[in-house]
């Protein structure tokens, strides 16, 4: 297993909520990443992010790891939830908050 793949696996396993995104929460580099960060910030919960623009190895390897081609990619409790559209749909159906609460033990 490559070092990059090991780091991705470690990131996913060690963060309750993780967003692989383009840019940072303070300076998102695409609208989908910005909308996703804004949604998670609205819950007032801690979450980790990784900037795939700043690290080309991550940008190439995360989709191989997750079998998901686009960014952002949201992982909750070590499981890929999906991208921007999916987490917003889950939120609209009232299904995202329970996933977040379960992940954070609330």
């Amino acid at each position: 297993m490559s070092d990059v793949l090991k780091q991705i696996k470690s990131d996913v396993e060690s963060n309750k909520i993780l967003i692989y995104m383009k840019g940072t929460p303070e300076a998102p580099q695409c609208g989908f990443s910005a909308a996703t960060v804004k949604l998670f910030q609205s819950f007032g919960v801690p979450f980790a992010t990784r900037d795939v623009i700043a690290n080309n190895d991550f940008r190439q390897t995360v989709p191989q790891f997750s079998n998901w081609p686009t960014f952002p990619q949201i992982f909750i409790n070590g499981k890929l939830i999906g991208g921007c559209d999916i987490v917003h749909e889950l939120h609209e159906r009232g299904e995202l908050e329970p996933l977040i609460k379960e992940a954070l033990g609330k």
Side-chain angles (χ1 to χ4, degrees):
M1 187 181 302
S2 75
D3 288 343
V4 174
L5 203 52
K6 285 179 188 173
Q7 183 60 53
I8 292 166
K9 188 172 177 2
S10 174
D11 284 349
V12 168
E13 291 173 353
S14 62
N15 291 285
K16 298 290 186 184
I17 301 171
L18 173 65
I19 304 171
Y20 282 104
M21 62 180 287
K22 293 180 179 177
T24 64
E26 300 77 25
Q29 298 296 308
C30 83
F32 296 114
S33 290
T36 300
V37 165
K38 187 175 180 182
L39 176 62
F40 279 89
Q41 286 172 335
S42 76
F43 286 103
V45 296
F47 60 91
T49 63
R50 298 290 181 262
D51 179 2
V52 298
I53 299 263
N55 188 323
N56 194 48
D57 290 340
F58 273 67
R59 187 167 58 217
Q60 292 178 359
T61 309
V62 170
Q64 295 169 7
F65 173 82
S66 63
N67 201 28
W68 190 269
T70 59
F71 293 100
Q73 293 189 18
I74 299 88
F75 290 83
I76 299 178
N77 257 354
K79 180 181 174 205
L80 175 68
I81 301 303
C84 179
D85 292 347
I86 290 175
V87 293
H88 278 83
E89 288 171 14
L90 289 171
H91 176 58
E92 288 170 12
R93 292 195 311 251
E95 297 172 12
L96 183 60
E97 190 170 11
L99 288 175
I100 291 170
K101 286 182 175 179
E102 179 185 334
L104 300 176
K106 295 185 175 187

